[in-house]
Amino acid sequence: MISIFFYLLSIFCVVYYGVIIAYSGLRTSFVRFWLFAAVISAFAAVFLQSSIYLSLPSIIHRIIKLFTFIILAFFLIILLKIWNTQHFCKNQEVEADYLIVPGAIVRGEKPSNALLARIQTTFYYLSAHEHTIAILTGYQNANAKISQGKCMQQELIRMGIPAYRLLVEEHARTTEENLRFSKEYISLRNPKVCVISNDFHLYRIIKLAEKCGFHNVFGLAAKTPAPILIHCYVREVFAVIKSFLR
């Protein structure tokens, strides 16, 4: 039964890899994980039916199953923390002094779908809170003609937000740098800060914001495009683990 599960998981990983490539391209970060997972799942399915595994002592079987269970439980606990955070971050009525909006991939001068969702959420918030200033942060990635921060500024100006409310930071390459570099644009002593990012990203970015010295911070979730939803959440689990290890 378990081997059948791994066979089906391997097929799913291959198919989903194709979906991601078709939707957002070969350069999508972490996309090769799905091919790796497909190979590991297929290997597990074959191994669990092999004479080598079946000839092992029962205690070894139990250790393998326990080890697998611990890994899966750890993975699921982090995934639930990431998933639950978005439900506690719907604070559109709370007026912040500043928004911090981290960048995502830009192609040419056009935002990716994930970045566009952040831009739209930022637009709705700024339209409702006329005194809030947005800090748009992100470097110029490969295949982009402008920085992520500049791309967000252009789109928001096109939507009708005045330029004086849009501060652009163009050097940050990581989530932590997005936050640290944004602090240089803040003049208030203890500002109320809203971080806008895609739902899968909020747990980690809020934890990092607190680590970077933001004491009055909350989050607002932008939706993640459906075709890459699973991919983004799985990738974020590994990003959270990496962040904890640091």
Side-chain angles (χ1 to χ4, degrees):
M1 192 66 166
I2 297 177
S3 60
I4 293 175
F5 166 77
F6 280 114
Y7 274 125
L8 293 175
L9 181 61
S10 179
I11 294 170
F12 169 80
C13 289
V14 172
V15 172
Y16 191 54
Y17 172 81
V19 170
I20 297 169
I21 294 304
Y23 182 77
S24 56
L26 279 167
R27 293 182 178 272
T28 305
S29 63
F30 204 67
V31 70
R32 290 188 182 88
F33 165 81
W34 296 101
L35 292 180
F36 175 76
V39 171
I40 294 298
S41 298
F43 173 81
V46 173
F47 177 71
L48 290 172
Q49 292 183 320
S50 69
S51 58
I52 296 175
Y53 176 76
L54 296 175
S55 64
L56 292 172
S58 59
I59 185 66
I60 301 298
H61 289 186
R62 291 172 186 167
I63 291 173
I64 291 174
K65 290 177 181 177
L66 178 62
F67 183 70
T68 303
F69 173 79
I70 290 172
I71 292 175
L72 289 175
F74 180 67
F75 187 93
L76 287 174
I77 288 170
I78 296 176
L79 186 60
L80 284 173
K81 284 181 176 291
I82 294 169
W83 179 263
N84 286 332
T85 298
Q86 61 180 296
H87 300 297
F88 298 100
C89 291
K90 298 176 180 178
N91 297 294
Q92 294 193 41
E93 296 181 1
V94 179
E95 182 159 345
D97 298 305
Y98 291 93
L99 293 183
I100 296 178
V101 191
I105 293 298
V106 173
R107 297 182 178 91
E109 293 189 15
K110 298 293 183 182
S112 59
N113 291 320
L115 183 56
L116 184 58
R118 299 181 192 185
I119 292 169
Q120 290 170 338
T121 303
T122 301
F123 169 73
Y124 295 140
Y125 189 92
L126 291 175
S127 298
H129 303 282
E130 296 181 357
H131 300 292
T132 302
I133 300 296
I135 303 170
L136 313 170
T137 166
Y139 75 114
Q140 183 173 333
N141 58 260
N143 300 319
K145 295 180 179 179
I146 56 175
S147 69
Q148 296 165 5
K150 187 67 177 177
C151 177
M152 288 188 279
Q153 183 193 46
Q154 285 186 358
E155 292 296 315
L156 287 165
I157 289 174
R158 185 181 59 80
M159 292 176 175
I161 303 298
Y164 71 86
R165 298 180 64 195
L166 305 171
L167 306 180
V168 177
E169 188 286 311
E170 299 185 276
H171 302 289
R173 291 175 172 268
T174 65
T175 300
E176 187 171 354
E177 287 183 352
N178 287 140
L179 295 164
R180 286 197 293 107
F181 295 175
S182 293
K183 289 186 75 174
E184 299 176 8
Y185 292 78
I186 295 174
S187 57
L188 298 178
R189 185 177 181 86
N190 187 29
K192 185 179 292 183
V193 174
C194 174
V195 178
I196 290 181
S197 194
N198 298 93
D199 42 22
F200 68 87
H201 194 209
L202 281 182
Y203 173 76
R204 182 162 57 100
I205 198 169
I206 289 174
K207 291 294 183 184
L208 285 172
E210 293 169 349
K211 179 182 175 182
C212 289
F214 292 98
H215 303 295
N216 194 0
V217 60
F218 64 95
L220 187 59
K223 289 185 178 180
T224 301
I228 58 171
L229 186 67
I230 296 173
H231 174 71
C232 289
Y233 273 94
V234 170
R235 181 185 63 189
E236 189 64 14
V237 169
F238 288 97
V240 168
I241 293 171
K242 181 179 178 182
S243 180
F244 282 159
L245 291 175
R246 284 183 175 179

